[in-house]
Amino acid sequence: MMELIDLSTVDVILISNYHCMMALPYITEHTGFTGTVYATEPTVQIGRLLMEELVNFIERVPKAQSASLWKNKEVQSVLANPHLIPSTLSRLLPAPLKDAVEVATWRRCYNLQEVNSALSKIQLVGYSQKIVSIPSKTTLEVPDMRLAVPIGSYSHIMRRFPMFQDPHSSPRIHSCYSQSQVLVGESENCASVKTLFQFSWMQLNSPMDQASLKNSDVLILTGLTQIPTANPDSMVGEFCSNLAMTVRNGGNVLVPCYPSGVIYDLLECLYQYIDSAGLSNVPFYFISPVANSSLEFSQIFAEWNISIAYLIQTNKLKHYPSIHGDFSNDFKQPCVVFTGHPSLRFGDVVHFMELWGKSSLNTIIFTEPDFSYLDALAPYQPLAMKCVYCPIDTRLNFIQVSKLLKEVQPLHVVCPEQYTQPPPTQSHRTDLMVDCLPPPMSYRRAEVLSLPFKRRYEKIEITPEVSDPKCARAPLMLQGISVCPHSLSTGNWHYDIKLHVAFVTDSLVPTEMKPGISLATVTAILHTKDNKHVLQLPPKPPQPQPGKKRKRVTDDVPELRPIKPLLSGSIPVEQLVQTLEKHGFSDVKVEDTPKGHIVLFQDVETLIRIEEDSTHIMCESDEALRVKLQDLVLKFLQKF
């Protein structure tokens, strides 16, 4: 990602849920990023818990030595061709390193100080809140579409101000991650586009308000369900039945999990299930460095408040920061343990894998869909304990996507390439893909995708000094009326100005061109930076001081060219022909075109093309003739 885009040029990072912010410290602390990060408060708080747990797990087991040779590109190329090297080096990198992209760019885990520093740079947003202070002149709207899992998740609607007409520019999407993250950036000349970022969606108690999603120019789908064939409700049922069966047979159950998210739903289900299943005497342990903070935060939400509080108060659910201390004294078997990390590579889950892995009475139940359970178990083989895969992925599935797209009807849909084709193992399941009209625009990792939009207008601010009536020559938007002057093209020169300007002061004196349309003129320098455009007074040239050498004018002071008149009005073709005949042009012929008229001079191989907003004089090499025709045409236009 660092090579794909210069993060110092990024104005805004939008965090839709806490799973999308785990790499934030690398961006805010180790790049030139100086923009703004937006997220809801629940997203920030739960994201803090996940990052603190990660840092704690890593720092628990410091290593005296670290291996780095495997990151060498030459070594990796040799490992990829084992037949070319001795057998001692013929083994490939272990999973998941062998499948990782750009593994040489991996870094050490951040520390707690970097976590706190990164989180302090986040600007909190609330539901239904609009933010208009984004440097790229975009209005960010956080619609009230709360996503139950992950907590605090939301979608973003971005609306651009009117844009300056530029037929060669379009917004671009920089895709950095193939699964759950998409970095959306823009070139300096990006188009007008209202964009929806839809990352995840849960079934809520109240229906989702889709009104704000309708008529979107672009709907970007990412972070959809990773297990489209697994129904969350049936997975929860299998989880409970396998847990109960193991405990009844005297075995223990290990549930690798994050300290927030799906674990709350599992505890909610167990609260309703344990008594009927005869598990009221079985202890449930939640072990995490942030277990206490996580459970306290979960009780803020009504859907989990009663159930989790009851389990804690009745000592059916006990939580500990680690396996040491009080847990060693309270530990009883058979039991159910919720702990991390779901990858089985670090955290307290490693201890329980070694403790229970050799007994077939015990069961490990995978519920997190982010990791391949086969790769996670690979280092522990041979393994006697039973393994149950019950991935609970409550994010938007393809059936819900199809329904959503039919209801909101966006102009264009953008999604990762893997969403546009069925899963490799089920190629016949065309229902497990994004299918819409027009077909979705897909992208791959590290691909820059140009959206099919042409921006038309740009918002430009004007300083109070420029609005002085003595300044000259730029058409302005007065009281919501846009004035676009006539353009005239002569030879190789073409004048075509279309401009919208905001914050016009009362000192400008408009001239009414025709009913409802007024025009005012002003002279200024257009200063453009970070998609922000400002009209400023031209700088005064430096005066040479007597007795000293004249200093060279810097490039920051633009050269002022002579002001050319602005033209407005329409050209009556019949009167133009009569005027031409009076000035000696006898063989004049007029042809109608879809956009206007063409005046042909057959004896001199010259023509005048007249359109609604422009006039072009085509003359091969006779400059005197071109100037004469230009003067005749200008008689029918007003000059400013």
Side-chain angles (χ1 to χ4, degrees):
M1 185 183 79
M2 304 306 179
E3 297 179 357
L4 177 66
I5 184 172
D6 182 2
L7 289 172
S8 64
T9 64
V10 176
D11 296 320
V12 175
I13 294 178
L14 306 174
I15 301 177
S16 65
N17 63 71
Y18 54 80
H19 283 301
C20 294
M21 64 183 295
M22 297 301 290
L24 185 63
Y26 293 116
I27 296 177
T28 61
E29 307 307 307
H30 299 286
T31 69
F33 175 76
T34 57
T36 306
V37 183
Y38 292 98
T40 62
E41 184 175 4
T43 294
V44 174
Q45 296 300 330
I46 298 298
R48 178 190 298 274
L49 296 179
L50 263 66
M51 286 190 278
E52 288 181 355
E53 181 191 62
L54 178 62
V55 171
N56 190 289
F57 283 158
I58 297 297
E59 293 182 349
R60 278 185 187 178
V61 286
K63 295 183 178 181
Q65 297 179 348
S66 60
S68 60
L69 184 60
W70 59 273
K71 296 178 69 174
N72 186 295
K73 292 185 177 180
E74 294 180 359
V75 173
Q76 290 183 38
S77 63
V78 173
L79 291 176
N81 299 277
H83 60 283
L84 301 178
I85 59 176
S87 58
T88 55
L89 295 178
S90 61
R91 61 183 183 277
L92 296 175
L93 290 174
L97 294 180
K98 65 179 181 180
D99 300 319
V101 179
E102 296 182 2
V103 68
T105 63
W106 285 22
R107 301 181 181 180
R108 289 180 176 272
C109 182
Y110 40 73
N111 55 44
L112 192 57
Q113 180 180 359
E114 292 172 323
V115 170
N116 293 329
S117 178
L119 296 179
S120 67
K121 298 173 182 176
I122 297 179
Q123 180 173 331
L124 300 180
V125 294
Y127 297 107
S128 301
Q129 180 179 351
K130 293 183 179 180
I131 301 170
V132 296
S133 59
I134 299 178
S136 58
K137 309 309 295 178
T138 300
T139 299
L140 170 65
E141 180 180 346
V142 182
D144 193 5
M145 296 181 293
R146 312 186 186 197
L147 311 179
V149 174
I151 299 174
S153 302
Y154 67 104
S155 37
H156 317 285
I157 293 180
M158 300 177 65
R159 293 185 174 89
R160 294 300 304 257
F161 286 104
M163 295 291 173
F164 175 70
Q165 186 173 16
D166 184 353
H168 304 293
S169 63
S170 63
R172 299 189 177 188
I173 295 178
H174 302 270
S175 60
C176 301
Y177 300 97
S178 59
Q179 287 291 337
S180 61
Q181 299 182 15
V182 171
L183 175 62
V184 178
E186 298 175 288
S187 62
E188 290 185 0
N189 298 319
C190 54
S192 173
V193 56
K194 183 176 84 171
T195 306
L196 163 70
F197 297 79
Q198 177 67 43
F199 289 90
S200 56
W201 182 27
M202 267 289 292
Q203 295 291 339
L204 306 179
N205 294 329
S206 58
M208 171 178 155
D209 181 16
Q210 299 179 3
S212 56
L213 307 185
K214 293 183 178 181
N215 302 319
S216 298
D217 294 316
V218 177
L219 189 144
I220 303 177
L221 291 167
T222 183
L224 304 183
T225 178
Q226 299 182 55
I227 316 293
T229 58
N231 182 281
D233 293 334
S234 61
M235 291 296 102
V236 171
E238 288 189 27
F239 170 83
C240 292
S241 61
N242 281 279
L243 183 148
M245 185 182 303
T246 300
V247 173
R248 289 195 189 102
N249 294 331
N252 303 288
V253 177
L254 177 62
V255 185
C257 63
Y258 293 110
S260 176
V262 174
I263 184 175
Y264 299 149
D265 296 283
L266 295 179
L267 292 175
E268 166 74 14
C269 295
L270 291 176
Y271 162 73
Q272 304 172 3
Y273 182 77
I274 54 178
D275 289 334
S276 60
L279 304 177
S280 55
N281 295 325
V282 177
F284 295 84
Y285 300 118
F286 178 24
I287 306 174
S288 170
V290 296
N292 185 61
S293 300
S294 177
L295 292 176
E296 287 181 348
F297 193 79
S298 70
Q299 294 183 52
I300 298 175
F301 302 94
E303 57 263 43
W304 296 303
N305 185 297
I306 298 177
S307 57
I308 293 180
Y310 171 80
L311 292 175
I312 295 175
Q313 291 171 2
T314 57
N315 284 328
K316 294 181 179 179
L317 173 63
K318 299 182 180 181
H319 56 87
Y320 303 89
S322 70
I323 58 176
H324 308 288
D326 293 338
F327 175 76
S328 301
N329 300 325
D330 300 339
F331 181 54
K332 296 180 180 179
Q333 303 185 75
C335 64
V336 179
V337 174
F338 297 87
T339 189
H341 186 268
S343 66
L344 305 189
R345 293 301 183 267
F346 51 85
D348 293 314
V349 70
V350 175
H351 169 79
F352 289 100
M353 287 298 299
E354 296 174 349
L355 179 67
W356 293 342
K358 298 179 180 179
S359 174
S360 59
L361 294 177
N362 303 319
T363 301
I364 179 172
I365 304 179
F366 289 90
T367 60
E368 298 288 351
D370 295 342
F371 301 93
S372 166
Y373 75 98
L374 295 176
D375 289 341
L377 293 173
Y380 302 95
Q381 299 296 343
L383 195 67
M385 70 186 306
K386 293 186 290 291
C387 173
V388 178
Y389 185 51
C390 299
I392 302 175
D393 195 339
T394 54
R395 287 171 287 191
L396 199 66
N397 59 43
F398 292 99
I399 296 177
Q400 293 168 326
V401 166
S402 299
K403 182 179 179 182
L404 177 66
L405 295 180
K406 290 179 181 178
E407 293 177 354
V408 302
Q409 296 184 344
L411 293 180
H412 297 276
V413 175
V414 177
C415 64
E417 185 180 44
Q418 56 264 40
Y419 293 168
T420 62
Q421 50 196 6
T425 57
Q426 296 177 304
S427 57
H428 63 287
R429 295 289 302 274
T430 56
D431 58 318
L432 301 180
M433 56 182 287
V434 175
D435 185 15
C436 61
L437 291 175
M441 300 176 60
S442 62
Y443 62 87
R444 299 179 180 179
R445 185 185 186 277
E447 180 180 4
V448 178
L449 181 65
S450 296
L451 299 181
F453 287 98
K454 308 299 181 183
R455 74 174 176 184
R456 302 174 57 191
Y457 298 102
E458 182 69 89
K459 178 179 178 180
I460 299 180
E461 299 178 5
I462 181 171
T463 61
E465 295 80 7
V466 177
S467 60
D468 190 286
K470 298 178 182 179
C471 301
R473 316 283 187 198
L476 299 179
M477 178 181 69
L478 299 174
Q479 299 178 350
I481 301 174
S482 173
V483 180
C484 297
H486 191 90
S487 63
L488 173 67
S489 176
T490 61
N492 294 327
W493 296 94
H494 180 73
Y495 310 95
D496 189 3
I497 303 175
K498 293 187 178 182
L499 199 62
H500 272 194
V501 182
F503 308 123
V504 179
T505 63
D506 296 334
S507 60
L508 289 172
V509 181
T511 301
E512 187 174 23
M513 305 300 299
K514 59 183 181 180
I517 297 181
S518 298
L519 183 71
T521 59
V522 63
T523 296
I525 296 297
L526 179 60
H527 181 269
T528 300
K529 183 179 180 181
D530 294 335
N531 283 334
K532 184 176 181 180
H533 312 281
V534 181
L535 284 179
Q536 301 176 346
L537 276 180
K540 296 181 180 180
Q543 299 296 329
Q545 298 181 5
K548 292 185 178 181
K549 276 189 175 183
R550 184 175 179 181
K551 293 183 178 179
R552 183 179 179 182
V553 180
T554 62
D555 294 337
D556 295 334
V557 181
E559 180 183 356
L560 298 180
R561 298 180 179 179
I563 299 173
K564 298 178 180 179
L566 300 179
L567 306 174
S568 179
S570 60
I571 301 175
V573 179
E574 293 182 1
Q575 296 182 26
L576 175 61
V577 172
Q578 295 174 4
T579 301
L580 292 172
E581 291 176 348
K582 290 180 181 179
H583 287 79
F585 297 95
S586 57
D587 194 6
V588 179
K589 183 180 179 181
V590 178
E591 294 183 358
D592 295 333
T593 67
K595 295 184 178 181
H597 308 277
I598 295 180
V599 180
L600 299 173
F601 302 83
Q602 299 182 8
D603 54 346
V604 292
E605 295 185 355
T606 299
L607 64 84
I608 302 176
R609 188 172 66 225
I610 303 174
E611 298 178 353
E612 182 180 0
D613 58 354
S614 64
T615 299
H616 305 267
I617 299 175
M618 306 297 181
C619 187
E620 288 295 331
S621 58
D622 193 339
E623 179 64 14
L625 175 61
R626 184 191 65 80
V627 173
K628 183 178 180 179
L629 292 175
Q630 173 183 288
D631 293 338
L632 294 176
V633 171
L634 289 175
K635 290 182 179 181
F636 297 95
L637 299 174
Q638 294 178 284
K639 300 180 182 180
F640 292 89

